[in-house]
Amino acid sequence: WFPYHDFLNKQSATIVGALNEEVVVMNSLTVNLHLLLTSFYNPYGSKNKIIIDTPCFPSDRYAINSHIKNNNLNIEKTLVELVPENDKNYLENEYIINQIEKYGDETHLIFLSGVNYYNGQYYDIDSIAKKAKEYDCLIGLDLAHAAGNVKLFLHDWGIDFAIWCGYKYLNGGPGAPGSAYINKKYLMDRNIKRLEGWW
């Protein structure tokens, strides 16, 4: 029994711009995404949409689709995909902001890559997070291609949750554990919906 999560929290937090207590090293990326969606995706009334970037990493898309279905919602009506315009292969920040303004009142969660796996675009996360909060939208990030690759400031940006793996830019190799971030403001909420286990 090796408590790697205790040994690696400080270093992991530094890499993603988080407080030590906001980060844990555990599981794989998709397992962590399922755990966090269980807690953070709680659609209600017309506030049920999820905004994602495209191309979205396939396993993220599968996980998100499953949570939409498990909440008895229609994927086509619930999922808003940000698609590059004008034959470009990247998303302009103005377009992302405009889409949040367009769908914000109906959006519960915005889930984006920190760096898009397909085209390498590093999103302007700070401005996107600020716009998300204007519409009372939660914001989560997949940092699989961002952690260890670009500067991140999850706590200062007010990101609600994030996930990443350790085998890409963190050079962990096959089987390296993933990590999860939860903003400190949620850590003492005993009423948050969650799947519980050893911890």
Side-chain angles (χ1 to χ4, degrees), residues 27-44:
N27 303 319
S28 67
L29 183 140
T30 304
V31 169
N32 287 335
L33 179 55
H34 277 298
L35 291 172
L36 294 177
L37 286 174
T38 297
S39 293
F40 286 96
Y41 182 54
N42 298 297
Y44 56 92

Side-chain angles (χ1 to χ4, degrees), residues 98-172:
N98 288 342
Q99 292 299 99
I100 295 172
E101 291 174 345
K102 179 178 179 180
Y103 294 104
D105 291 333
E106 303 169 81
T107 298
H108 184 68
L109 171 65
I110 298 169
F111 186 78
L112 303 174
S113 310
V115 171
N116 188 281
Y117 86 102
Y118 194 76
N119 62 18
Q121 182 178 358
Y122 178 24
Y123 297 117
D124 184 352
I125 300 169
D126 188 25
S127 68
I128 294 168
K130 286 175 180 171
K131 183 58 66 172
K133 297 306 175 185
E134 285 181 26
Y135 288 87
D136 196 27
C137 301
L138 295 173
I139 182 161
L141 299 174
D142 176 344
L143 303 176
H145 294 82
N149 183 21
V150 297
K151 289 187 176 183
L152 299 166
F153 306 93
L154 299 186
H155 182 80
D156 291 345
W157 288 334
I159 302 302
D160 294 296
F161 70 91
I163 52 164
W164 61 97
C165 52
Y167 60 83
K168 293 180 182 173
Y169 292 96
L170 298 179
N171 302 312

Side-chain angles (χ1 to χ4, degrees), residues 53-113:
D53 56 331
T54 56
C56 178
F57 197 71
S59 62
D60 291 352
R61 177 70 178 269
Y62 299 146
I64 288 167
N65 283 354
S66 70
H67 282 266
I68 291 172
K69 290 187 288 188
N70 287 344
N71 280 280
N72 299 312
L73 295 168
N74 180 291
I75 293 171
E76 291 182 4
K77 294 179 180 177
T78 305
L79 193 63
V80 176
E81 298 182 75
L82 302 175
V83 180
E85 295 183 304
N86 304 319
D87 296 323
K88 294 181 178 174
N89 64 352
Y90 63 93
L91 296 170
E92 293 183 326
N93 196 61
E94 183 179 0
Y95 164 75
I96 297 173
I97 298 299
N98 288 342
Q99 292 299 99
I100 295 172
E101 291 174 345
K102 179 178 179 180
Y103 294 104
D105 291 333
E106 303 169 81
T107 298
H108 184 68
L109 171 65
I110 298 169
F111 186 78
L112 303 174
S113 310

